[in-house]
């Protein structure tokens, strides 16, 4: 691709071409140079993309005052540039779908979106408020394309928000603003959020400008927001306010498209938490990555067309395409780009190479017998795509499933000899996955992954002896990551021991042939460790603050002194002490005490650590130095302490944490009475 291709596409001449020229005679000479970047935010980006040729044309051949010669040159240049473009046009644009049948998206998803559009746009009641749809899914799975195509098919206008590039504030601007003689007293800058709000207001009130190729016979329209102002990521409450207001005053449906991220920043949860979704009745449609079979179909189509066109030019073979489909994580945009790139280099270099191997060697490996190829596929995760291979990522839900269901493939004597008979109890079929890679692909710290494993492994065992062995492995893993001195170097071993330990202990899943019966779906849950650890830390601080007179470390207070005081029914000084001692100073034998409602882990969630809760510090060994040494911390006055979590109503827990069943209720039922008495001031 030449440099011209990447030239900035926003030019004044180009802007004039977006709009249907009302005065044809003036169109060549008139240039709207005053159109600001802000006004670019209200337009149709697909049209903008379509107009790339005109950008190039106009930048190469500036409009002259209409001589014949120059205009014929212009036409000639136009054709050249068209040819140039069709050759170099990105294939994602060249082969972009035009109808819903050409979409590489599952039919059900298309139907879901279509049903929503019908209900909220086409059959919309006049006084219906602003309805909101949130579309989520991995990048490049066709979310935007689906909306645009369906909108086109149903004659719905799409008014799209694009983050404006606001002009920079210059030093001299202050002088202008502060100058009393200046007629321009209004502060000329607006925050992105203000511009966004204004856009929403205008877009919902007025029809859009007619662009070239637009059919404005319809007054049905949607507002599409894919690119939210950055400020909302820092302050999501502002967005929530905007949403609340929009639901009341909006006159047309508003669609947000948010791409899933596997790197841990969960924008969807931050920007559209469940409470807001419920409050504003936001519908949510979640797209899946493009399935390899569907992807393969579309890539094949492109390859066939390109091969016919270029007759003889090297095109990737079937195996290379399969690798490409595997390596692009369901991102059709990335797959098509990789295909184009590999074809343009003239080499068939889509094939993967093994980590640490030359691609030559990997080709040799791949060309071996069919059986060998099958085994290679088993370890597909170890391979790296030569071109365009994305980081293969797994959602936590799937990563845990891979460990807990631990699929295997039968091993024959030829592949690997069986263990001798005295070791036969350790004999297993070959695993389909490498546990360490699964953890790596989940983009989670090993310790956090271990926590999720610990929470969920029990349901996958059928023999209690196996369970005992698995829990021993988890304990070993815990010890390895427990000591801050050696943690960093032993972290990876800890994950290996936990994952492989759980897998190996489970004899009922040790062979490919005996996995069928136990592989029915089991829900997965989030670890309760965070809640329990949080409660423990709060209890430590509260104990130290409430019973500072005893000058004992928190552990000693909670495990020795307070249970002792409870038994003695010693009179306490104040209500806080009484409540605290009631809560932690005894182990009630009530049936449901302390059982926590478990929160299900959904298939699109990342393992999140509550940043402000200090869980991260705790997870990484986070006892403070004072706590570790058993020094009492006099960090707060008893009065300023709120009661520990177990004594609060469960409502104050973050939504992502399990909620305790009414522990308080149990406390109230308890027949123990601790007397209160007036302090004599000591
Ligand atoms: N059959 C197809 N189905 C869907 N998209 C296709 C197809 N063929 C080519 N494409 C191209 O793939 C790209 C898909 O990108 P799209 O913007 O729709 O994805 P997205 O899910 O919205 O991702 P992102 O959130 O990263 O923008 C588009 O450029 C589209 O033209």
């Amino acid at each position: 691709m030449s440099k011209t291709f990447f030239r900035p596409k926003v030019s004044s001449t180009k802007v004039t071409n977006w709009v249907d020229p009302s005065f044809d005679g003036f169109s060549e000479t008139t240039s709207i140079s005053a159109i600001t970047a802000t006004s670019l935010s209200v337009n149709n980006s697909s049209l903008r993309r379509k107009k790339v040729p005109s950008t190039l044309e106009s930048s190469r051949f500036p409009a002259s005052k209409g001589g014949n010669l120059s205009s014929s040159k212009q036409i000639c240049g136009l054709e050249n540039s068209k040819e140039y473009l069709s050759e170099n046009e990105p294939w994602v644009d060249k082969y972009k779908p035009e109808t819903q049948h050409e979409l590489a998206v599952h039919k059900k998803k298309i139907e879901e979106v279509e049903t929503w559009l019908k209900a909220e746009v086409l059959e919309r009641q006049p006084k219906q408020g602003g309805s909101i749809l949130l579309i989520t899914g991995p990048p490049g799975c066709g979310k935007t394309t689906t909306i645009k195509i369906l909108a086109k098919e149903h004659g719905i206008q799409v008014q799209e928000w694009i983050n404006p590039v606001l002009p920079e504030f210059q030093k001299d601007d202050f002088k202008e603003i502060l100058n009393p003689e200046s007629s321009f007293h209004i502060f000329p800058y607006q925050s992105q959020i203000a511009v966004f709000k204004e856009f929403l207001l205008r877009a919902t009130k007025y029809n859009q400008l007619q662009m070239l190729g637009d059919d404005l016979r319809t007054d049905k329209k949607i507002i599409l927001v894919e690119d939210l102002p950055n400020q909302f990521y820092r302050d999501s409450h502002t967005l929530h306010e905007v949403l609340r207001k929009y639901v009341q005053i909006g006159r047309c449906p508003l669609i947000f498209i948010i791409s899933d991220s596997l790197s841990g920043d969960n924008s969807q949860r931050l920007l559209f938490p469940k409470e807001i979704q419920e409050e504003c009745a936001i519908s949510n449609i979640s797209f899946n990555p493009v399935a390899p079979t569907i992807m393969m179909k579309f890539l094949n189509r492109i390859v066939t067309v390109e091969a016919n066109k270029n007759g003889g030019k090297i095109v990737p073979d079937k195996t290379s395409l399969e690798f490409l489909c595997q390596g692009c994580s369901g991102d059709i945009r990335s797959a098509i780009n990789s295909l184009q790139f590999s074809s343009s280099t003239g080499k068939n270099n889509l094939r993967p190479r093994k980590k640490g191997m030359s691609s030559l060697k990997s080709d040799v490996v791949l060309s071996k017998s069919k059986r060998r190829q099958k085994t290679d596929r088993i370890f597909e995760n170890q391979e790296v795509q030569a071109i365009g291979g994305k980081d293969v990522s797994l959602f936590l839900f799937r990563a845990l499933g891979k460990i807990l269901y631990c699929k295997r493939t039968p091993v024959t004597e030829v592949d690997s000899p069986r263990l001798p008979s005295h070791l036969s109890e350790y004999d297993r079929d070959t695993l389909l996955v490498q546990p360490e890679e699964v953890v790596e692909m989940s983009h989670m710290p090993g310790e956090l992954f271990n926590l999720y494993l610990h929470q969920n492994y029990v349901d996958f065992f059928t023999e209690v002896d196996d369970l005992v062995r698995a829990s021993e492995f988890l304990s070993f893993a815990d010890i390895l990551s427990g000591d801050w001195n050696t943690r960093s170097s032993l972290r990876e071993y800890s994950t290996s021991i936990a994952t492989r330990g759980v897998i190996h202990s489970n004899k009922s899943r040790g062979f490919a042939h005996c996995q069928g019966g136990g592989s029915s779906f089991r829900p997965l849950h989030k670890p309760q460790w965070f809640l329990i650890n949080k409660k423990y830390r709060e209890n430590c601080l509260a104990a130290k603050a409430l019973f500072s007179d005893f000058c004992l470390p928190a552990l000693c207070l909670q495990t020795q002194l307070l249970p002792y005081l409870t038994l003695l029914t010693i009179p306490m000084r104040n209500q806080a002490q009484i409540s605290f001692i009631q809560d932690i100073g005894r182990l009630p034998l009530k049936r449901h005490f302390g059982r926590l409602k478990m929160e299900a882990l959904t298939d699109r969630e990342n393992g999140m650590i509550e940043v402000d809760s200090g869980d991260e510090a705790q997870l990484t060994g986070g006892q403070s130095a004072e706590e570790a040494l058993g020094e009492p911390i006099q960090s707060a006055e008893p009065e300023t302490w709120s009661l520990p979590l177990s004594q609060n109503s469960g409502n104050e827990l973050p939504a992502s944490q399990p909620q305790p069943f009414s522990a308080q209720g149990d406390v109230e039922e308890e027949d123990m009475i601790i007397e209160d008495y007036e302090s004599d001031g000591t």
Side-chain angles (χ1 to χ4, degrees), residues 23 32 71 111 118 205 292 387 464 485 515 629 646 677 682:
F23 307 99
I32 307 173
S71 61
E111 272 170 26
K118 277 183 187 158
K205 256 186 170 175
I387 284 187
V464 74
N485 222 356
Q515 291 192 322
L629 294 170
S646 54
Y677 83 103
T682 51

Side-chain angles (χ1 to χ4, degrees), residues 292-303:
T293 42
I294 302 182
M295 182 94 77
M296 191 69 187
K297 197 172 94 184
F298 284 98
L299 294 189
N300 261 327
R301 230 179 255 175
I302 297 176
V303 166

Side-chain angles (χ1 to χ4, degrees), residues 49 91-97 99 101-105 135-149 226 257-260 287 290 294 298 301-302 331-334 336:
R49 235 178 280 143
W91 287 1
V92 274
D93 291 339
K94 195 167 161 187
Y95 295 101
K96 78 167 180 226
T99 65
H101 305 290
E102 293 170 22
L103 279 169
V105 177
I135 299 186
T136 52
C141 68
K143 302 182 289 292
T144 318
T145 315
T146 305
I147 280 289
K148 286 188 176 165
I149 285 182
E226 205 174 346
I257 295 183
I258 305 274
S259 280
D260 295 335
F287 276 52
V290 179
I294 302 182
F298 284 98
R301 230 179 255 175
I302 297 176
D331 180 342
I332 193 160
R333 183 173 41 218
S334 149
I336 297 177

